[in-house]
Amino acid sequence: DVWRLSEEVRAGTLTEQAFLDSESSMIRSRGHCNTMGTASTMGLLAEALGMTLPGTAGIPAADSRLLARAHATGLLAVDMVRTDRRPSTVMTAASMHNAIVTLAATGGSTNAVVHLLAIAGRLGLPLTLDDFDRIGAEVPLLVDLQPAGRFLMEDLYRAGGLAAVLREVSDLLDPSAITVAGTPFVAALEGAAVWDESVIYPRSAPVRPNAGIAVLRGNLAPAGAIIKPAAATPALLQHRGPALVFDSIEDFHARIDDPDLDVSADTVLVLRGCGPKGYPGMPEVSNMPLPEKLLRAGVRDMVRICDGRMSGTAYGTVVLHVAPEAAAGGPLDRIRTGDMVVLDVPGRSLTVDVPPAEFDARPPSQALLDGLARPHRGWERLYVDTVLGADTGADCSFLLGSSGPRVSRESH
């Protein structure tokens, strides 16, 4: 609602004071975001990966049952050391499969794609961007939570929690996965019940039938890009429109509300230079605010494309994590304002309608190059020199692969 209502302030339909009053009352207690943002998503996925005691994910922060679980977790940690049950024995290809099913069924954050790819990279597991589409594309969305729906995380827990959701799609899970307790992951789903079908929908009548993260490819994203259909406007999932290109987030902020900006509801907003190397890091700026003059005309969504990320609490028809990023020589560095962009989510494609020879011959935008991060020393230089693309988890190259349990020398 912060994203939604801030646009209403810019549109002139809500006063700034009313917005501030609303924002200050959205979360009633301690805890992280109470929508299906990245924190909530990763809490659920931690359980789907088998890395928490079953039944822990989604307990509200103020609920005393969370303290009881924390105590039980401390006891379990001691047992895990004694039995040599390590993260690498729990997080396997099977548990990654279950995490992707969970991501789709709960309408989780797009940031989970980068996180899971990075975790798999550290474990040496063969997870790829295409696995999210292969495993999750046909999984139904069962949870009616913001930003894709109506309710909040406490409602999900009250309605039966993660176990109730996954019992509905248990046939899609890999039964060979285990948990940190050493038990089969699917065993914890037995007896789970849905107590409120307005929050957790039945498999036979889902919120959306095919809700997983969609992976797009084409001459604008040879290594892939992603979109969350559950948070997008259905009419925009197939769209053709002229690009309006911004060379940096500073360029975007300087021009987006210019009343003379040549932009319409059909325009595709393109922001580049916001990938891991270029910014550096991947800022949550891909869900670009809409032009004020279009907001005042009633427009509430447009196709947006960026090599950065967006908050898990955000929504809209936003293509994210475009790879290779512009700073790594990806095609976003050559797209120009006015080029026709074609988005086809059902067809899994993202293209620019420019003859290949002409497009390939273009030099990268000088304004883009001028705005990229170019650190000369320190950790920032190490990061920019070694960070990989969003399509593989945006981790540093020297961190890939499992280190194993060996401790080479004692520190005391």
Side-chain angles (χ1 to χ4, degrees), residues 104 107-108 141 147-149 207-208 210-213 227-234 237 315-316:
L141 173 62
V207 179
R208 294 183 64 145
N210 306 306
I213 301 295
I227 187 170
K228 183 179 178 180
T233 300
L237 294 177
Y315 63 94

Side-chain angles (χ1 to χ4, degrees), residues 101-122:
V101 172
T102 302
L103 177 64
T106 59
S109 166
T110 52
N111 286 318
V113 176
V114 172
H115 291 319
L116 288 177
L117 287 169
I119 292 169
R122 296 286 182 100

Side-chain angles (χ1 to χ4, degrees), residues 204-230:
S204 59
V207 179
R208 294 183 64 145
N210 306 306
I213 301 295
V215 178
L216 312 175
R217 295 187 188 275
N219 63 359
L220 271 183
I226 65 172
I227 187 170
K228 183 179 178 180

Side-chain angles (χ1 to χ4, degrees), residues 359-410:
F359 191 67
D360 293 342
R362 288 179 180 175
S365 161
Q366 188 58 50
L368 162 72
L369 297 177
D370 291 343
L372 296 178
R374 299 190 184 280
H376 298 295
R377 61 186 300 276
W379 292 108
E380 189 175 345
R381 171 66 182 273
L382 177 64
Y383 175 83
V384 170
D385 286 349
T386 63
V387 70
L388 302 172
D391 57 306
T392 59
D395 204 355
C396 294
S397 59
F398 60 88
L399 293 173
L400 295 182
S402 174
S403 299
R406 187 177 67 90
V407 177
S408 57
R409 303 176 76 174
E410 296 297 335

Side-chain angles (χ1 to χ4, degrees), residues 29-31 56-66 153-155 157-158:
S29 74
R30 61 187 178 275
T56 301
I59 300 177
D63 193 314
S64 61
R65 285 171 288 188
L66 194 60
M153 281 297 297
E154 63 192 74
D155 298 304
Y157 190 69
R158 170 182 57 80

